[in-house]
Coordinates of all heavy atoms in Angstrom, one line a residue:
M1 N -102.6 -26.9 -53.0 CA -101.9 -25.8 -52.7 C -100.4 -26.0 -52.8 O -99.6 -25.0 -53.2 CB -102.2 -25.4 -51.2 CG -101.5 -24.1 -50.7 SD -102.2 -22.8 -51.6 CE -101.3 -21.5 -50.8
I2 N -99.9 -27.1 -52.4 CA -98.4 -27.4 -52.6 C -98.0 -27.4 -54.1 O -96.9 -27.0 -54.3 CB -98.1 -28.7 -51.8 CG1 -96.5 -28.7 -51.6 CG2 -98.5 -29.9 -52.5 CD1 -96.1 -29.8 -50.7
K3 N -98.9 -27.9 -54.9 CA -98.5 -27.9 -56.3 C -98.3 -26.5 -56.9 O -97.4 -26.2 -57.7 CB -99.5 -28.6 -57.1 CG -99.5 -30.1 -56.8 CD -100.6 -30.9 -57.6 CE -100.6 -32.3 -57.2 NZ -101.6 -33.1 -57.9
I4 N -99.1 -25.5 -56.4 CA -99.0 -24.2 -56.8 C -97.6 -23.6 -56.3 O -96.9 -22.9 -57.1 CB -100.2 -23.3 -56.3 CG1 -101.4 -23.8 -57.0 CG2 -99.9 -21.8 -56.6 CD1 -102.7 -23.1 -56.5
L5 N -97.3 -23.9 -55.1 CA -96.0 -23.5 -54.5 C -94.8 -24.0 -55.2 O -93.8 -23.3 -55.5 CB -95.9 -23.8 -53.0 CG -96.8 -22.9 -52.1 CD1 -96.7 -23.6 -50.7 CD2 -96.4 -21.5 -52.1
L6 N -95.0 -25.3 -55.6 CA -93.9 -26.0 -56.4 C -93.7 -25.3 -57.8 O -92.6 -25.0 -58.2 CB -94.3 -27.4 -56.7 CG -94.0 -28.3 -55.4 CD1 -94.6 -29.7 -55.7 CD2 -92.6 -28.4 -55.0
L7 N -94.8 -25.0 -58.4 CA -94.8 -24.3 -59.7 C -94.2 -22.9 -59.6 O -93.4 -22.5 -60.4 CB -96.2 -24.2 -60.3 CG -96.3 -23.5 -61.6 CD1 -95.6 -24.3 -62.7 CD2 -97.7 -23.3 -62.0
L8 N -94.5 -22.1 -58.5 CA -93.9 -20.8 -58.3 C -92.4 -20.9 -58.0 O -91.7 -20.1 -58.5 CB -94.6 -20.1 -57.1 CG -96.1 -19.7 -57.4 CD1 -96.7 -19.1 -56.1 CD2 -96.1 -18.7 -58.6
M9 N -92.0 -21.9 -57.3 CA -90.5 -22.0 -57.0 C -89.8 -22.4 -58.3 O -88.8 -21.9 -58.5 CB -90.3 -23.1 -55.9 CG -90.8 -22.8 -54.5 SD -89.9 -21.3 -53.9 CE -91.3 -20.3 -53.4
F10 N -90.4 -23.2 -59.1 CA -89.8 -23.7 -60.4 C -89.7 -22.5 -61.3 O -88.6 -22.2 -61.9 CB -90.5 -24.8 -61.0 CG -89.9 -25.2 -62.3 CD1 -88.8 -25.9 -62.3 CD2 -90.6 -24.9 -63.5 CE1 -88.3 -26.4 -63.6 CE2 -90.1 -25.3 -64.7 CZ -88.9 -26.0 -64.8
L11 N -90.8 -21.7 -61.4 CA -90.7 -20.5 -62.3 C -89.8 -19.5 -61.7 O -89.1 -18.8 -62.5 CB -92.1 -19.9 -62.3 CG -93.1 -20.7 -63.2 CD1 -94.5 -20.1 -63.1 CD2 -92.7 -20.9 -64.6
G12 N -89.7 -19.3 -60.5 CA -88.7 -18.4 -59.8 C -87.2 -18.8 -60.2 O -86.5 -17.9 -60.5
A13 N -86.9 -20.1 -60.2 CA -85.6 -20.6 -60.5 C -85.3 -20.3 -62.0 O -84.2 -19.9 -62.3 CB -85.5 -22.0 -60.2
V14 N -86.3 -20.5 -62.8 CA -86.1 -20.3 -64.3 C -85.9 -18.9 -64.6 O -85.0 -18.5 -65.4 CB -87.2 -20.9 -65.1 CG1 -87.2 -20.6 -66.6 CG2 -87.2 -22.5 -65.0
V15 N -86.8 -18.0 -64.1 CA -86.6 -16.6 -64.2 C -85.2 -16.1 -63.7 O -84.5 -15.3 -64.4 CB -87.7 -15.9 -63.6 CG1 -87.5 -14.4 -63.5 CG2 -89.1 -16.1 -64.3
S16 N -84.8 -16.6 -62.5 CA -83.5 -16.2 -62.0 C -82.4 -16.7 -63.0 O -81.4 -16.0 -63.1 CB -83.4 -16.8 -60.7 OG -82.1 -16.4 -60.1
L17 N -82.5 -17.8 -63.5 CA -81.6 -18.3 -64.4 C -81.4 -17.4 -65.7 O -80.3 -17.1 -66.1 CB -82.0 -19.8 -64.9 CG -81.0 -20.4 -66.0 CD1 -79.7 -20.7 -65.4 CD2 -81.7 -21.6 -66.5
F18 N -82.5 -17.0 -66.3 CA -82.4 -16.2 -67.4 C -82.1 -14.7 -67.1 O -81.4 -14.0 -67.9 CB -83.8 -16.2 -68.2 CG -84.0 -17.4 -69.0 CD1 -84.9 -18.4 -68.6 CD2 -83.2 -17.7 -70.1 CE1 -85.0 -19.6 -69.3 CE2 -83.3 -18.9 -70.9 CZ -84.1 -19.8 -70.5
C19 N -82.4 -14.3 -65.9 CA -81.8 -13.0 -65.5 C -80.3 -13.0 -65.3 O -79.7 -12.0 -65.7 CB -82.5 -12.6 -64.1 SG -84.2 -12.0 -64.3
G20 N -79.8 -14.1 -64.7 CA -78.4 -14.2 -64.7 C -77.7 -14.2 -66.1 O -76.6 -13.6 -66.3
L21 N -78.3 -14.9 -67.0 CA -77.8 -14.9 -68.4 C -77.9 -13.5 -69.0 O -76.9 -13.1 -69.6 CB -78.6 -15.9 -69.2 CG -78.2 -15.9 -70.7 CD1 -76.8 -16.4 -70.9 CD2 -79.2 -16.8 -71.5
F22 N -78.9 -12.8 -68.8 CA -79.1 -11.4 -69.2 C -78.0 -10.5 -68.6 O -77.4 -9.7 -69.3 CB -80.5 -10.9 -68.9 CG -80.7 -9.4 -69.3 CD1 -80.8 -9.1 -70.6 CD2 -80.7 -8.5 -68.3 CE1 -81.0 -7.7 -70.9 CE2 -80.9 -7.1 -68.7 CZ -81.1 -6.8 -70.0
F23 N -77.8 -10.6 -67.3 CA -76.8 -9.8 -66.7 C -75.4 -10.2 -67.2 O -74.5 -9.3 -67.3 CB -76.9 -9.9 -65.2 CG -78.1 -9.3 -64.6 CD1 -78.8 -9.9 -63.5 CD2 -78.7 -8.2 -65.1 CE1 -79.9 -9.4 -63.0 CE2 -79.9 -7.6 -64.6 CZ -80.5 -8.2 -63.6
L24 N -75.1 -11.4 -67.4 CA -73.8 -11.9 -68.0 C -73.6 -11.3 -69.3 O -72.4 -10.8 -69.5 CB -73.8 -13.4 -67.9 CG -72.5 -14.0 -68.5 CD1 -71.4 -13.7 -67.5 CD2 -72.7 -15.5 -68.7
I25 N -74.5 -11.3 -70.2 CA -74.3 -10.7 -71.5 C -74.3 -9.2 -71.5 O -73.4 -8.6 -72.1 CB -75.5 -11.2 -72.4 CG1 -75.4 -12.7 -72.7 CG2 -75.5 -10.3 -73.7 CD1 -76.6 -13.2 -73.4
R26 N -75.1 -8.5 -70.7 CA -75.2 -7.1 -70.6 C -73.9 -6.5 -70.0 O -73.4 -5.5 -70.4 CB -76.4 -6.7 -69.9 CG -76.6 -5.2 -69.9 CD -77.9 -4.8 -69.4 NE -78.0 -3.4 -69.2 CZ -78.9 -2.7 -68.4 NH1 -79.6 -3.5 -67.6 NH2 -78.9 -1.5 -68.3
D27 N -73.6 -7.1 -68.7 CA -72.5 -6.5 -68.0 C -71.1 -7.1 -68.2 O -70.2 -6.6 -67.7 CB -72.9 -6.6 -66.4 CG -74.1 -5.9 -66.0 OD1 -74.5 -5.0 -66.7 OD2 -74.7 -6.3 -65.0
G28 N -71.1 -8.1 -69.0 CA -69.8 -8.8 -69.3 C -69.2 -9.5 -68.2 O -68.0 -9.8 -68.1
G29 N -70.1 -9.9 -67.2 CA -69.5 -10.7 -66.0 C -68.9 -9.9 -64.9 O -68.2 -10.5 -64.1
S30 N -69.0 -8.6 -65.0 CA -68.3 -7.8 -64.0 C -69.2 -7.2 -63.0 O -68.9 -6.2 -62.3 CB -67.5 -6.6 -64.7 OG -68.4 -5.8 -65.4
S31 N -70.4 -7.7 -62.8 CA -71.3 -7.2 -62.0 C -71.7 -8.2 -60.8 O -71.6 -9.4 -60.9 CB -72.7 -6.9 -62.7 OG -73.7 -6.5 -61.9
R32 N -72.2 -7.6 -59.7 CA -72.6 -8.4 -58.6 C -74.0 -8.9 -58.7 O -74.4 -9.8 -58.0 CB -72.6 -7.5 -57.2 CG -71.2 -7.0 -56.9 CD -70.4 -8.0 -56.1 NE -71.1 -8.6 -54.9 CZ -70.8 -9.6 -54.3 NH1 -69.7 -10.2 -54.7 NH2 -71.4 -10.0 -53.3
R33 N -74.7 -8.4 -59.9 CA -76.0 -8.8 -60.1 C -76.0 -10.4 -60.5 O -77.0 -11.1 -60.3 CB -76.7 -8.0 -61.1 CG -77.0 -6.6 -60.6 CD -77.8 -5.8 -61.6 NE -77.1 -5.6 -62.9 CZ -77.6 -4.8 -63.8 NH1 -78.8 -4.3 -63.7 NH2 -77.0 -4.6 -65.0
I34 N -75.0 -10.8 -61.1 CA -74.9 -12.2 -61.6 C -74.8 -13.1 -60.3 O -75.5 -14.1 -60.2 CB -73.6 -12.4 -62.5 CG1 -73.8 -11.6 -63.7 CG2 -73.5 -13.9 -62.8 CD1 -72.6 -11.5 -64.5
V35 N -74.0 -12.7 -59.3 CA -73.8 -13.5 -58.1 C -75.2 -13.5 -57.4 O -75.6 -14.5 -56.8 CB -72.8 -12.9 -57.3 CG1 -72.7 -13.7 -55.9 CG2 -71.4 -13.0 -58.0
Y36 N -75.9 -12.3 -57.3 CA -77.1 -12.3 -56.6 C -78.2 -13.2 -57.3 O -79.0 -13.8 -56.7 CB -77.7 -10.8 -56.6 CG -79.0 -10.6 -55.9 CD1 -79.0 -10.8 -54.6 CD2 -80.0 -10.2 -56.6 CE1 -80.2 -10.7 -53.9 CE2 -81.3 -10.0 -56.0 CZ -81.4 -10.3 -54.6 OH -82.6 -10.1 -54.0
S37 N -78.2 -13.2 -58.6 CA -79.1 -14.0 -59.4 C -78.8 -15.4 -59.2 O -79.8 -16.3 -59.1 CB -79.0 -13.7 -60.9 OG -79.8 -14.5 -61.7
L38 N -77.5 -15.9 -59.1 CA -77.2 -17.2 -58.8 C -77.6 -17.6 -57.4 O -78.1 -18.7 -57.2 CB -75.6 -17.4 -58.9 CG -75.2 -18.8 -58.4 CD1 -75.7 -19.9 -59.4 CD2 -73.6 -18.8 -58.5
Y39 N -77.5 -16.7 -56.4 CA -77.9 -16.9 -55.1 C -79.5 -17.2 -55.0 O -79.9 -18.1 -54.4 CB -77.6 -15.8 -54.2 CG -78.2 -15.8 -52.8 CD1 -77.7 -16.7 -51.8 CD2 -79.2 -15.0 -52.5 CE1 -78.3 -16.7 -50.6 CE2 -79.8 -15.0 -51.2 CZ -79.3 -15.8 -50.3 OH -79.9 -15.9 -49.1
L40 N -80.2 -16.3 -55.7 CA -81.7 -16.6 -55.8 C -82.0 -17.9 -56.4 O -82.9 -18.6 -56.0 CB -82.3 -15.4 -56.5 CG -82.5 -14.1 -55.7 CD1 -83.1 -13.0 -56.7 CD2 -83.3 -14.4 -54.6
R41 N -81.3 -18.3 -57.5 CA -81.6 -19.5 -58.2 C -81.4 -20.7 -57.3 O -82.2 -21.6 -57.2 CB -80.8 -19.7 -59.4 CG -81.2 -20.9 -60.2 CD -80.5 -21.0 -61.5 NE -79.0 -21.2 -61.1 CZ -78.1 -21.1 -62.0 NH1 -78.3 -20.9 -63.3 NH2 -76.9 -21.3 -61.6
V42 N -80.2 -20.7 -56.5 CA -80.0 -21.7 -55.5 C -81.0 -21.8 -54.5 O -81.4 -22.8 -54.1 CB -78.5 -21.6 -55.1 CG1 -78.2 -22.5 -53.8 CG2 -77.5 -21.8 -56.2
L43 N -81.4 -20.6 -54.0 CA -82.4 -20.5 -52.9 C -83.7 -21.1 -53.4 O -84.4 -21.9 -52.7 CB -82.6 -19.1 -52.5 CG -83.6 -18.9 -51.4 CD1 -83.2 -19.5 -50.1 CD2 -83.9 -17.4 -51.2
F44 N -84.2 -20.8 -54.6 CA -85.4 -21.3 -55.2 C -85.3 -22.8 -55.3 O -86.3 -23.6 -55.1 CB -85.7 -20.7 -56.5 CG -86.4 -19.3 -56.4 CD1 -85.9 -18.3 -57.1 CD2 -87.5 -19.1 -55.6 CE1 -86.4 -17.0 -57.1 CE2 -88.1 -17.9 -55.5 CZ -87.6 -16.8 -56.2
C45 N -84.2 -23.3 -55.8 CA -84.0 -24.7 -56.0 C -84.0 -25.6 -54.7 O -84.6 -26.6 -54.5 CB -82.8 -25.1 -56.8 SG -83.0 -24.6 -58.5
V46 N -83.4 -24.9 -53.6 CA -83.4 -25.6 -52.3 C -84.8 -25.6 -51.8 O -85.3 -26.6 -51.2 CB -82.4 -24.9 -51.4 CG1 -82.6 -25.3 -49.9 CG2 -81.0 -25.2 -51.8
L47 N -85.5 -24.5 -51.9 CA -86.9 -24.4 -51.4 C -87.8 -25.4 -52.2 O -88.7 -26.1 -51.7 CB -87.5 -23.1 -51.5 CG -86.9 -22.1 -50.5 CD1 -87.5 -20.6 -50.9 CD2 -87.3 -22.5 -49.1
L48 N -87.5 -25.6 -53.5 CA -88.3 -26.5 -54.4 C -88.0 -27.9 -53.9 O -88.9 -28.7 -53.7 CB -87.8 -26.4 -55.8 CG -88.5 -27.2 -56.8 CD1 -90.0 -26.9 -57.0 CD2 -87.8 -27.1 -58.1
L49 N -86.8 -28.2 -53.6 CA -86.5 -29.7 -53.1 C -87.1 -29.9 -51.8 O -87.7 -31.0 -51.5 CB -85.0 -29.8 -53.1 CG -84.5 -31.2 -52.6 CD1 -84.9 -32.2 -53.6 CD2 -83.0 -31.1 -52.4
A50 N -87.0 -28.9 -50.9 CA -87.7 -29.0 -49.6 C -89.2 -29.3 -49.6 O -89.7 -30.1 -48.9 CB -87.3 -27.8 -48.7
L51 N -89.8 -28.5 -50.6 CA -91.3 -28.7 -50.8 C -91.6 -30.1 -51.4 O -92.6 -30.6 -51.0 CB -91.9 -27.6 -51.7 CG -92.1 -26.2 -51.1 CD1 -92.5 -25.2 -52.1 CD2 -93.3 -26.4 -50.1
V52 N -90.8 -30.6 -52.2 CA -91.1 -31.9 -52.9 C -90.9 -33.0 -51.7 O -91.8 -33.8 -51.6 CB -90.1 -32.2 -54.0 CG1 -90.1 -33.6 -54.4 CG2 -90.4 -31.3 -55.2
V53 N -89.9 -32.9 -50.9 CA -89.7 -33.8 -49.8 C -90.9 -33.7 -48.8 O -91.4 -34.8 -48.4 CB -88.3 -33.6 -49.1 CG1 -88.3 -34.4 -47.9 CG2 -87.2 -33.9 -50.1
Y54 N -91.3 -32.6 -48.5 CA -92.4 -32.3 -47.6 C -93.6 -32.9 -48.1 O -94.5 -33.5 -47.5 CB -92.6 -30.9 -47.2 CG -93.9 -30.5 -46.5 CD1 -93.9 -30.9 -45.2 CD2 -94.9 -30.0 -47.1 CE1 -95.1 -30.6 -44.5 CE2 -96.1 -29.8 -46.5 CZ -96.2 -30.1 -45.1 OH -97.4 -29.8 -44.4
G55 N -93.8 -32.7 -49.4 CA -95.1 -33.1 -50.1 C -95.2 -34.7 -50.1 O -96.2 -35.2 -49.9
F56 N -94.0 -35.3 -50.4 CA -94.1 -36.8 -50.3 C -94.3 -37.3 -48.9 O -95.0 -38.3 -48.7 CB -92.8 -37.4 -50.9 CG -92.8 -37.4 -52.4 CD1 -91.9 -36.7 -53.1 CD2 -93.7 -38.2 -53.1 CE1 -91.9 -36.8 -54.6 CE2 -93.8 -38.3 -54.5 CZ -92.8 -37.6 -55.2
F57 N -93.6 -36.7 -47.9 CA -93.7 -37.2 -46.5 C -95.2 -37.0 -46.0 O -95.7 -37.7 -45.2 CB -92.7 -36.7 -45.6 CG -91.4 -37.4 -45.8 CD1 -90.2 -36.7 -46.1 CD2 -91.3 -38.8 -45.7 CE1 -89.1 -37.4 -46.2 CE2 -90.1 -39.4 -45.9 CZ -88.9 -38.7 -46.1
S58 N -95.8 -35.8 -46.4 CA -97.1 -35.5 -45.9 C -98.2 -36.3 -46.6 O -99.4 -36.2 -46.2 CB -97.3 -34.0 -45.9 OG -97.4 -33.6 -47.3
G59 N -97.9 -36.8 -47.8 CA -98.9 -37.5 -48.6 C -99.6 -36.6 -49.5 O -100.5 -37.1 -50.3
Q60 N -99.3 -35.3 -49.7 CA -99.9 -34.4 -50.7 C -99.4 -34.7 -52.1 O -100.1 -34.4 -53.0 CB -99.7 -33.0 -50.2 CG -100.3 -32.7 -49.0 CD -100.0 -31.2 -48.6 OE1 -99.6 -30.5 -49.4 NE2 -100.4 -30.9 -47.4
L61 N -98.2 -35.3 -52.2 CA -97.6 -35.7 -53.5 C -97.5 -37.2 -53.5 O -96.9 -37.8 -52.5 CB -96.3 -35.0 -53.8 CG -96.3 -33.5 -53.9 CD1 -94.9 -33.0 -54.1 CD2 -97.2 -33.0 -55.1
V62 N -97.9 -37.8 -54.5 CA -97.7 -39.3 -54.6 C -97.1 -39.6 -55.9 O -97.2 -38.9 -56.9 CB -99.0 -40.0 -54.5 CG1 -99.6 -39.8 -53.0 CG2 -100.0 -39.6 -55.5
S63 N -96.3 -40.7 -55.9 CA -95.7 -41.2 -57.1 C -96.6 -42.3 -57.8 O -97.0 -43.2 -57.1 CB -94.3 -41.7 -56.8 OG -93.7 -42.3 -58.0
H64 N -96.8 -42.3 -59.1 CA -97.4 -43.2 -59.8 C -96.6 -44.1 -60.6 O -97.0 -44.7 -61.6 CB -98.5 -42.6 -60.7 CG -99.5 -41.8 -60.0 ND1 -100.5 -42.4 -59.2 CD2 -99.7 -40.5 -59.8 CE1 -101.3 -41.5 -58.6 NE2 -100.9 -40.3 -59.0
A65 N -95.3 -44.2 -60.2 CA -94.3 -45.0 -60.9 C -94.7 -46.5 -60.6 O -95.0 -46.9 -59.6 CB -92.9 -44.7 -60.4
P66 N -94.5 -47.3 -61.7 CA -94.9 -48.7 -61.5 C -94.0 -49.5 -60.6 O -94.3 -50.6 -60.2 CB -94.9 -49.2 -63.0 CG -94.1 -48.3 -63.7 CD -94.2 -47.0 -63.0
W67 N -92.7 -49.1 -60.5 CA -91.8 -49.8 -59.7 C -91.8 -49.5 -58.2 O -91.1 -50.1 -57.4 CB -90.3 -49.6 -60.2 CG -89.9 -48.2 -60.2 CD1 -89.4 -47.4 -59.1 CD2 -90.0 -47.3 -61.3 NE1 -89.3 -46.2 -59.5 CE2 -89.6 -46.0 -60.9 CE3 -90.4 -47.4 -62.7 CZ2 -89.5 -44.9 -61.7 CZ3 -90.3 -46.3 -63.5 CH2 -89.9 -45.1 -63.0
L68 N -92.7 -48.6 -57.8 CA -92.8 -48.3 -56.4 C -93.9 -49.0 -55.7 O -95.0 -49.2 -56.1 CB -92.9 -46.8 -56.1 CG -91.7 -46.0 -56.5 CD1 -92.0 -44.6 -56.2 CD2 -90.5 -46.4 -55.5

């Protein structure tokens, strides 16, 4: 379940990034929609980071790195 939430948060951040680019090109940087898109992208990334930390501490996500 946590992997699906991680994927959704990542996709939300990417979609918000491209929406911001679209609004920047279309509006020429004079719109509040760019700031709102940036706010959403930061929110998605913070939630993504929080979910990753929660996943590692709860044991739902594990690292298979050889140095750990």
Side-chain angles (χ1 to χ4, degrees):
M1 182 67 179
I2 195 165
K3 291 179 183 179
I4 294 171
L5 288 173
L6 287 172
L7 181 64
L8 289 175
M9 290 298 128
F10 179 74
L11 289 175
V14 170
V15 167
S16 178
L17 176 69
F18 283 109
C19 284
L21 176 65
F22 175 74
F23 294 144
L24 179 66
I25 291 171
R26 183 174 174 203
D27 298 339
S30 62
S31 173
R32 297 279 303 167
R33 294 190 293 184
I34 298 169
V35 176
Y36 182 68
S37 177
L38 175 65
Y39 170 74
L40 282 178
R41 188 180 60 190
V42 169
L43 180 69
F44 280 129
C45 290
V46 166
L47 289 175
L48 180 68
L49 182 64
L51 277 173
V52 168
V53 169
Y54 171 75
F56 277 120
F57 281 126
S58 69
Q60 295 179 10
L61 295 175
V62 293
S63 177
H64 296 291
W67 56 83
L68 292 177

